[in-house]
Amino acid sequence: QGCLYKPASRFPLGNYADRKSAISAFQKNLKVIEGFMSDEGMYLCGDEVSLADASLFPTCVFANYMLPKFDDSQPPLPPKLTAWFDNLRTNDSVFSKVYKEIMDELVTSWDEKNHRWDKIWLAGQRDEAPGTIFDKIVAKEIPATIVKEDKHILAFKDISPQAPAHVLVIPKDRNGLTNLRRASAEHTDILGKMLVAAAEIANDAELGFGDGARFVINDGNDGGQEVYHIHLHVLGGKKLGSMV
């Protein structure tokens, strides 16, 4: 549940390199838990309260309050968990007390006083920049000469090459990286994947690369950036001149 409130400096969280993948895994786990719920009784395992109820209930308080900050298009909890959660906070005096204590802290201290989510990616901060031509290339809506692809990155030949070998490496999911200056600790994994892909491409003689390559990321107007979806240029195939 830390993905719902921890700052970017605390990433990665366990096996999850970014907030989006961590939230997705958290939501999947809630659905898995729902699958083990009893169909009878007020509590998770039937008519008697158990450690499972005591352990899960605070997490559901967090999820019920925080998940809509990231995505309010769907209920924060699966249907059976929602019914269980609403029943306990309404009809069990102990859980009702726990709910009130947690919510008082979340609302008054975390939200209203400290504005915790104002700087949390995907909550107070979102990628609101318009889409680019790269989104269409990723979606295969327009053609490109693709040289490398996996579930995270896409690499394709530049249509206006500035060297005999010129390939662009992009993340499939921009995730706020319109340019490099938008990067945070949440982007460490994808930036690393881009660099590894670029290294593999620069070692590929069949693409025209020889003894070395130049790796360039243009950033912003002063940096000559034309497409606002971060991309890494891999140039080679000849001895390149000195940089500006």
Side-chain angles (χ1 to χ4, degrees), residues 29-46:
N29 286 338
L30 291 176
K31 292 180 180 178
V32 170
I33 292 171
E34 182 180 57
F36 289 98
M37 291 177 64
S38 171
D39 291 325
E40 299 179 359
M42 180 176 177
Y43 302 100
L44 288 174
C45 300

Side-chain angles (χ1 to χ4, degrees), residues 221-243:
N221 186 57
D222 288 353
Q225 185 175 3
E226 296 179 350
V227 181
Y228 280 80
H229 180 137
I230 192 171
H231 49 287
L232 171 61
H233 296 263
V234 188
L235 305 102
K238 69 174 185 178
K239 185 174 178 60
L240 301 174
S242 60
M243 296 290 287

Side-chain angles (χ1 to χ4, degrees), residues 32-174:
V32 170
I33 292 171
E34 182 180 57
F36 289 98
M37 291 177 64
S38 171
D39 291 325
E40 299 179 359
M42 180 176 177
Y43 302 100
L44 288 174
C45 300
D47 293 323
E48 298 292 330
V49 66
S50 69
L51 181 60
D53 298 283
S55 300
L56 184 60
F57 186 80
T59 294
C60 287
V61 178
F62 273 56
N64 192 62
Y65 184 73
M66 298 179 192
L67 276 174
K69 294 180 180 294
F70 297 90
D71 180 9
D72 60 3
S73 66
Q74 58 183 339
L77 301 174
K80 287 175 66 176
L81 266 183
T82 297
W84 163 83
F85 177 70
D86 289 342
N87 195 9
L88 261 59
R89 67 175 176 170
T90 302
N91 299 315
D92 185 296
S93 60
V94 174
F95 285 100
S96 179
K97 182 180 179 181
V98 170
Y99 174 77
K100 184 178 184 306
E101 290 176 351
I102 295 175
M103 285 299 296
D104 284 347
E105 181 69 15
L106 289 178
V107 174
T108 59
S109 179
W110 287 31
D111 217 344
E112 295 177 354
K113 181 180 179 180
N114 295 321
H115 307 285
R116 177 179 287 265
W117 286 276
D118 287 1
K119 295 183 179 180
I120 295 289
W121 178 241
L122 299 178
Q125 297 182 351
R126 298 173 185 255
D127 188 347
E128 297 179 342
T132 73
I133 189 173
F134 290 170
D135 295 304
K136 294 182 179 180
I137 291 175
V138 170
K140 305 296 195 297
E141 294 175 0
I142 60 175
T145 304
I146 296 171
V147 301
K148 187 176 183 62
E149 180 177 10
D150 60 29
K151 65 180 182 179
H152 300 290
I153 64 96
L154 185 70
F156 51 92
K157 292 184 178 181
D158 195 303
I159 60 172
S160 300
Q162 303 301 302
H166 187 173
V167 174
L168 302 180
V169 183
I170 69 170
K172 285 186 170 180
D173 181 1
R174 184 173 65 181

